[in-house]
Each structure stands twice: as C-alpha cells, then as structure tokens.
Amino acid sequence: MLKSFIIRSMVMLTLVASPLSYADNNTVIRIGGFYANTDSTIDVNDPILGNAFTLDFESDLKLEESQFLPFFEFSHHFNDRHILYVDWKQLHRNALVQSVEKPFQFTWDDTTYDIKSGISLDSTLNIDIMRVGYGYDIWQGHNYDVGVSVGLHAMFIKTAFKGRIGICDSGTETRCPDTIDVPKVVDEKLSAPLPDIGVYGGYEFYPGFRLNGHAQYFYIKLDDLKGGLVDIRLGVEAEISENWHMTAAFNYYEVDVEYTSTFTDADIKLADYNIYYSFTGPMLSVSYQF
C-alpha cells in the first residue's frame, strides 16, 4: 500500500505547504493529536507443526487497532529564510490476553522463546518516530512562502512479552521439549537515522488565516530493516491572539516497516516484523509563537 502512494505523494510535493513556515524570525511550539489505524505482525514458529506462521498483534494479542496519537513539533525560523525543526510521534500499546489460543515460538539474540497455549500473556508494542531537519524558503512574498526541507528520521520499536514464557535449552530445537520459565522478554530496536525530503509553504488568504501544508517522504533499506514513510498535510491556521494559533488540518500519514531476523534454523525464519501504521483524517493542534 505504501508504494501506491509514492508517485502521488511526490506529485503533491509541489502543491502543498507547511505549518512550520513563517516569514519572520520566530520560534514555534506545536502540540496536537490524531487517530491512527495500525496493523502489526510478527513471523513466529509453530511448536507443534514446526512451520512458520504470522502472528497478528491486533487480532491474536488484542492490541488496539485504532488509537489517539499525540504529536509534538518545534521549529525555529531565523535569518529570514532558514528553519530548524524537530518533531515526534508516538504509538504505545499494551494488552493482556487471559488465555493464548495459538502457541508460538520466536527468536531474539539467538535465544528461542516458547509461548504455550492457555497461558496469560501481557504484550507491549511501542513505536516512536523522531524527525529533525532543516528547511530553506526558496520563494517569499508579502503573504506566501514556499521552501524545501531535508531531515533525518529515527524509529524506536520496543516489543515485550510478560508471562510464563519458556526458554528452550537448545536454540536449535524447534519443539523445545524442556523449557526454563522467564517472567518477561523485551526486545528494543533503533533504526539508524535515515534521510527524508519534502517541501512546505504557506499562504495567508485572509488577515489572521493561513493555508498551510507539507509533504515528506523517506524510504528505508538498510541491512535487515526496510520500509518507508509518507506524510502529507494540508490545513488552515487561525490566529487566536498575537502568540497563539490553532490549526485544523487533513493529514495522510503512513509508515510501513519490515524487520527481518538474521537468525535461521533449518531454513525457518523467526521473529520477522511487519508493522503497518496509517492515518487519514482530520487533526487538531495548538501552537505558541514567540
């Protein structure tokens, strides 16, 4: 689904503008939120049949599919045309399954863990996305500005399982006949900072009202991690007072990440991730400018 939006998003790069852009030197702090739809899976092993299958975090482990997401943006516009910015988005989820229906095994750091059917399992999947970058206003007028941006994205992914989890005595045994119970297993991954590109701009169509938007894109293909992000936003910002502004926008946001484990056992891959997370709809934010 991500690839189908790449061409359209690149075309829209020349059409939309950015809420981070202002004509004068200033600093802007923006806080807002929106709802996201998420589909997350992990490739695991069937301890009975010995073959790999896909475990769904939402349907099998009961993590929420839709959730309210906060976001934070900070930008500093200086020397008339230059912008430095940082933003952050978060998706943290946790769910408790009283009785696991599908037994499964997964491997992290060359250790195989065994989840038996019928046990109580507490699952966590946290995703944080941070972006820092630089923008330059190419065109400026009395009531408009258009610029380009370059930046770096970093993704933080934390997965945790808590319950009567078994550790196989031998990492090469698929069925794990003898296990040692552990209370909690945590796996944390950080993608290397990866570049993104975009355009932004703004147009004041009426005193105190400004049409803003931006479009950004990046793609990951590094070692055992690949995926991408498309972020397109178009909205109207209203001036509440000299320093306070409110923005109502329509946002398309999509992250699609695949993480492939480097561990193999008899040609069976274990603990591969596929995280798809998207949002299309309205969003609201409040900003303070000084």
Side-chain angles (χ1 to χ4, degrees), residues 114-247:
D114 185 49
I115 308 291
K116 298 186 182 298
S117 60
I119 72 166
S120 176
L121 186 66
D122 192 341
S123 305
T124 298
L125 181 60
N126 295 341
I127 305 170
D128 291 271
I129 302 172
M130 178 174 289
R131 183 177 64 97
V132 296
Y134 164 79
Y136 179 77
D137 292 356
I138 299 178
W139 298 289
Q140 289 182 340
H142 175 68
N143 58 350
Y144 72 90
D145 51 79
V146 178
V148 296
S149 66
V150 293
L152 294 174
H153 271 83
M155 297 188 65
F156 305 82
I157 303 173
K158 175 182 178 180
T159 310
F161 297 113
K162 183 178 181 180
R164 292 196 61 189
I165 303 169
I167 296 181
C168 299
D169 285 344
S170 172
T172 59
E173 291 186 28
T174 304
R175 295 182 180 274
C176 294
D178 299 316
T179 61
I180 303 171
D181 287 340
V182 295
K184 189 173 184 178
V185 180
V186 179
D187 183 49
E188 297 188 75
K189 302 187 187 302
L190 167 64
S191 69
L194 297 159
D196 63 81
I197 58 173
V199 298
Y200 62 85
Y203 173 68
E204 187 176 31
F205 59 92
Y206 187 80
F209 291 87
R210 182 179 177 89
L211 180 67
N212 289 323
H214 69 235
Q216 295 164 350
Y217 169 74
F218 85 95
Y219 179 75
I220 299 171
K221 192 172 183 181
L222 182 67
D223 297 331
D224 48 8
L225 183 68
K226 69 176 181 178
L229 176 146
V230 175
D231 183 2
I232 299 172
R233 187 191 307 174
L234 184 64
V236 175
E237 180 181 82
E239 181 179 309
I240 303 173
S241 66
E242 182 180 356
N243 300 103
W244 290 94
H245 298 76
M246 177 175 289
T247 300

Side-chain angles (χ1 to χ4, degrees), residues 84-141:
L84 295 176
Y85 59 84
V86 58
D87 63 41
W88 167 83
K89 291 181 175 67
Q90 164 187 298
L91 175 62
H92 286 188
R93 295 177 297 163
N94 179 267
L96 175 64
V97 177
Q98 296 294 344
S99 179
V100 173
E101 295 182 1
K102 300 178 182 178
F104 62 94
Q105 295 169 354
F106 58 93
T107 299
W108 287 336
D109 297 327
D110 294 343
T111 300
T112 301
Y113 299 92
D114 185 49
I115 308 291
K116 298 186 182 298
S117 60
I119 72 166
S120 176
L121 186 66
D122 192 341
S123 305
T124 298
L125 181 60
N126 295 341
I127 305 170
D128 291 271
I129 302 172
M130 178 174 289
R131 183 177 64 97
V132 296
Y134 164 79
Y136 179 77
D137 292 356
I138 299 178
W139 298 289
Q140 289 182 340

Side-chain angles (χ1 to χ4, degrees), residues 260-279:
T260 304
S261 172
T262 57
F263 178 84
T264 59
D265 175 19
D267 296 326
I268 297 175
K269 279 184 167 288
L270 304 176
D272 287 359
Y273 290 94
N274 184 9
I275 299 172
Y276 175 78
Y277 144 49
S278 69
F279 167 78

